[in-house]
């Protein structure tokens, strides 16, 4: 699991921004906590504060350690903070795997150019590799044996190089970190279209993914729970599979996507990822989680997500979710300028199960002192 993440000089983050998943000692909703860490987080913050940029920053690691879907370049414009254009962008990930800790720090000049990588396992430095200083390229010999390190440039991570060129599971903690990264998923559903990064590759349509899953009846039931009663059927059109909605006992039909609202398509996207990815994910970040959803649909999806095993962050402005029936104070985060705190640490008040989180939030209780 991801224990702590920090980033500096990325996009709007001119100073170090730290996200800490340490959990508190609440006795309720313990299914939202795993191994002492927050497993299901909800992130709030004003428009433009950087919630989306946080997700993009978190998934920078998948760009150079995995071969999975890359983040769309449009989201990585102004990669460096414009106030510090001559400084490197700095990332730190601390993972916790049972009782072991893996700390991975790296610097970049831009999206593709690594400057330095440092890897520690349980505080022991394993790699400290500077791409521009041959005298500062330490790699613990125990993890490479007779492997010859031959990097032709600074675009291929030395960690990825070692992982790809040594026997499987030679370094279990590196294997665990890479497996975690390879099963991370970021996605968003906005009016200009859907986008995703990590986990897989390809651009198969939602309709095609639903067809391949064979779960059209499950999708109908999923929609019905959310107040949408459709009779759906697949047909072949010009060699492609098309999803139709049937009316008048099947005598009239229309393509489902031509009828679906933006909110219905957001539900379709969620369901598709649910059936294709949720049983394999390590980490999920949904940006603008419920921008087009009715509050009852948002609550339903939150309940579904609370039953999953993977670690998760949702960004939202929906305060209806701020109830201890769905979440808990240490799983709710507030983002302000260069700072993220869970509700427990964003106030001097002792937050208990009986408190009304939404009322406290709207009154400005969790302002991080700003």
């Amino acid at each position: 699991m991801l224990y702590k993440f920090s980033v500096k000089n990325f996009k709007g983050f001119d100073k170090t921004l730290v996200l800490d998943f340490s959990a508190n000692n609440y006795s309720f909703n313990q299914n939202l906590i795993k191994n002492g860490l927050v497993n299901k987080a909800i992130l709030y913050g004003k428009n433009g504060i950087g919630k989306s940029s946080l997700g993009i920053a978190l998934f920078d690691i998948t760009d150079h350690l995995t071969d999975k879907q890359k983040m769309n370049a449009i989201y990585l414009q102004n990669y460096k903070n414009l106030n510090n254009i001559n400084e490197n962008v700095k990332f730190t990930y601390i993972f916790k795997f049972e009782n072991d800790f893996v700390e991975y720090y790296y610097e970049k000049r831009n999206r593709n150019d690594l400057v330095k990588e440092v890897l520690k396992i349980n505080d022991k430095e394993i790699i400290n590799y500077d791409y521009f200083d041959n005298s500062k390229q330490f790699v613990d010999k125990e993890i490479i044996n007779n492997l010859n390190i031959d990097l032709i440039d600074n675009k291929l991570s030395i960690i990825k190089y070692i992982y790809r060129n040594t026997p499987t599971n030679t370094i279990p903690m590196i294997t665990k970190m890479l497996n975690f990264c390879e099963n991370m998923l970021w996605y968003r559903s906005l009016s200009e279209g859907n986008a995703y990064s990590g986990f897989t590759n390809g651009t198969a349509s939602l309709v095609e993914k639903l067809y391949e899953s064979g779960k059209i009846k499950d999708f109908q039931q999923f929609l019905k729970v959310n107040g949408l009663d459709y009779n759906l059927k697949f047909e072949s059109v010009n060699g492609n599979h098309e999803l139709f909605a049937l009316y008048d006992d099947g005598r009239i039909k229309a393509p489902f996507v031509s009828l679906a609202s933006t909110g219905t398509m957001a539900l379709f996207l969620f369901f598709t990822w649910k059936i294709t990815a949720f049983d394999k994910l390590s980490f999920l970040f949904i940006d603008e989680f419920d921008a087009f959803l009715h509050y009852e649909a948002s609550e339903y999806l939150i309940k579904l997500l609370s039953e999953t095993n993977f670690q998760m962050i949702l960004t939202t402005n929906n305060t209806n979710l701020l109830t201890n029936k769905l979440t808990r104070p240490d799983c709710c985060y507030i983002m302000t300028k260069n700072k993220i705190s869970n509700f427990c640490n964003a106030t001097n008040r002792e937050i208990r199960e009986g408190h009304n989180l939404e009322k406290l939030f709207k009154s400005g209780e969790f302002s991080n002192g700003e």
Side-chain angles (χ1 to χ4, degrees), residues 4 32 36 38 47 52 69-70 80 82 89 115 135 151 166 184 204 216 237 294 303 313 328:
K4 191 177 292 186
L32 307 180
V38 171
N47 293 334
S52 296
Q69 182 75 23
K70 305 298 184 185
K80 282 187 178 181
L82 297 179
V89 186
V115 176
S135 68
L151 300 178
T166 54
M184 295 172 65
I216 186 172
V237 178
H294 186 271
K303 290 176 182 177
I313 302 177
R328 45 188 264 175

Side-chain angles (χ1 to χ4, degrees), residues 43-47 51 288 290 315-320 361:
L43 177 63
Y44 290 85
K46 294 181 179 180
N47 293 334
K51 301 187 299 295
E288 301 287 356
D290 52 357
T315 72
T316 184
N317 290 309
N318 180 1
T319 60
N320 285 306
F361 177 79

Side-chain angles (χ1 to χ4, degrees), residues 100-227:
D100 294 304
F101 291 87
V102 179
E103 180 176 342
Y104 177 42
Y105 168 85
Y106 63 90
E107 298 181 21
K108 284 184 173 180
R109 293 191 303 199
N110 53 54
R111 176 181 187 173
N112 299 310
D113 291 339
L114 287 155
V115 176
K116 182 178 183 178
E117 290 183 89
V118 180
L119 184 71
K120 297 179 181 178
I121 298 176
N122 294 324
D123 289 328
K124 179 184 178 182
E125 192 168 87
I126 305 299
I127 295 171
N128 191 330
Y129 197 91
D130 189 317
Y131 285 83
F132 298 94
D133 188 341
N134 292 338
S135 68
K136 298 179 180 178
Q137 295 183 340
F138 168 75
V139 181
D140 191 323
K141 295 188 181 300
E142 291 185 8
I143 72 169
I144 58 172
N145 294 318
N146 296 318
L147 177 66
N148 180 35
I149 304 295
D150 185 21
L151 300 178
I152 61 174
D153 56 31
N154 62 331
K155 301 184 187 303
L156 175 61
S157 161
I158 186 171
I159 292 177
K160 184 177 180 180
Y161 179 86
I162 293 170
Y163 179 70
R164 293 285 189 259
N165 291 281
T166 54
T168 303
N169 216 30
T170 299
I171 317 103
M173 289 302 107
I174 292 181
T175 300
K176 287 184 179 182
M177 184 181 79
L178 268 293
N179 285 343
F180 187 96
C181 294
E182 288 174 346
N183 289 290
M184 295 172 65
L185 170 66
W186 170 97
Y187 84 81
R188 68 192 312 186
S189 175
L190 297 178
S191 55
E192 67 266 24
N194 305 322
Y196 85 95
S197 177
F199 183 69
T200 188
N201 297 99
T203 57
S205 69
L206 300 182
V207 169
E208 191 62 32
K209 287 183 177 181
L210 180 62
Y211 175 80
E212 291 174 356
S213 74
K215 294 188 176 183
I216 186 172
K217 296 299 181 183
D218 293 339
F219 181 50
Q220 284 185 179
Q221 181 59 31
F222 174 78
L223 292 177
K224 191 169 185 178
V225 170
N226 286 285

Side-chain angles (χ1 to χ4, degrees), residues 254-272:
F256 174 75
V257 295
S258 72
L259 302 169
S261 67
T262 308
T264 302
M265 290 305 295
L267 289 171
F268 192 5
L269 180 62
F270 178 92
F271 182 83
T272 302

Side-chain angles (χ1 to χ4, degrees), residues 15-30:
K15 295 181 173 59
T16 301
L17 179 75
V18 179
L19 174 61
D20 190 336
F21 288 94
S22 300
N24 287 55
N25 295 318
Y26 292 105
S27 61
F28 63 98
N29 289 345
Q30 293 197 24

